[in-house]
Amino acid sequence: MVYLTRRERFNAAHKLWVDDWDDEKNFAVFGKCANVNWHGHNYELFVTVKGTPDPMTGFVMDAKKLSKLIKKLVLDELDHRNLNLDVDFIPKKTQPTTENLVLSIWNRLEPHIEGCQLHCIKLYETENIFAEYYGE
Ligand code: NI
């Protein structure tokens, strides 16, 4: 089994907030991500597929095709958007945390991967914080 990873980047705004909590509790739990007038992150996304290299091409998957798929299905909808409000494939009542974003991105991409399998969605929100999802 060989693993192939494509890296992409996007920028997006969000706010983490629970309406049922008062301001003090929201700021205590979510910190700067609770900023009332939104804030942005420079996200770094790693999409890994797995499979056996094709005997003719040597590809697990054509990396250009994977990039186009990620661009069309994910980046075109997330980049320069508000993750709380603008993105149809992010469930409206979930917090747009890095953890929830990897689930949404997996569900968005997985049905479109052909000839190999999606292995991992890894998303960096900052250089020190990232989440991974392996479909389980
Ligand atoms: Ni944030």
Side-chain angles (χ1 to χ4, degrees):
M1 190 70 75
V2 178
Y3 298 80
L4 173 73
T5 299
R6 175 81 204 185
R7 184 187 72 156
E8 304 286 351
R9 289 169 162 158
F10 63 93
N11 310 311
H14 77 168
K15 178 169 80 174
L16 305 182
W17 192 268
V18 174
D19 287 336
D20 290 343
W21 295 349
D22 62 19
D23 291 7
E24 190 184 356
K25 183 162 183 187
N26 272 291
F27 289 121
V29 171
F30 295 124
K32 286 181 175 177
C33 280
N35 186 50
V36 173
N37 291 321
W38 317 99
H39 65 282
H41 292 282
N42 299 318
Y43 290 96
E44 198 173 16
L45 171 66
F46 294 84
V47 176
T48 302
V49 295
K50 65 182 174 186
T52 305
D54 180 272
M56 293 299 286
T57 63
F59 293 166
V60 169
M61 181 176 176
D62 183 333
K64 283 197 294 289
K65 272 192 193 160
L66 180 57
S67 179
K68 276 187 191 163
L69 208 55
I70 298 166
K71 183 173 185 319
K72 182 177 143 205
L73 295 171
V74 179
L75 303 184
D76 284 355
E77 297 199 34
L78 296 184
D79 193 33
H80 287 68
R81 300 292 169 85
N82 181 316
L83 301 177
N84 296 72
L85 302 176
D86 295 338
V87 185
D88 288 342
F89 72 83
I90 297 174
K92 283 291 170 283
K93 294 205 168 168
T94 64
Q95 300 291 337
T97 58
T98 315
E99 296 93 314
N100 280 330
L101 287 170
V102 293
L103 294 170
S104 292
I105 293 169
W106 175 286
N107 292 333
R108 180 78 174 147
L109 274 178
E110 200 274 335
H112 299 272
I113 303 293
E114 289 172 357
C116 59
Q117 290 174 273
L118 187 57
H119 174 66
C120 178
I121 299 294
K122 177 156 125 177
L123 183 67
Y124 280 79
E125 183 178 273
T126 72
E127 63 182 341
N128 296 319
I129 298 175
F130 64 89
E132 294 162 287
Y133 183 54
Y134 295 88
E136 59 191 33

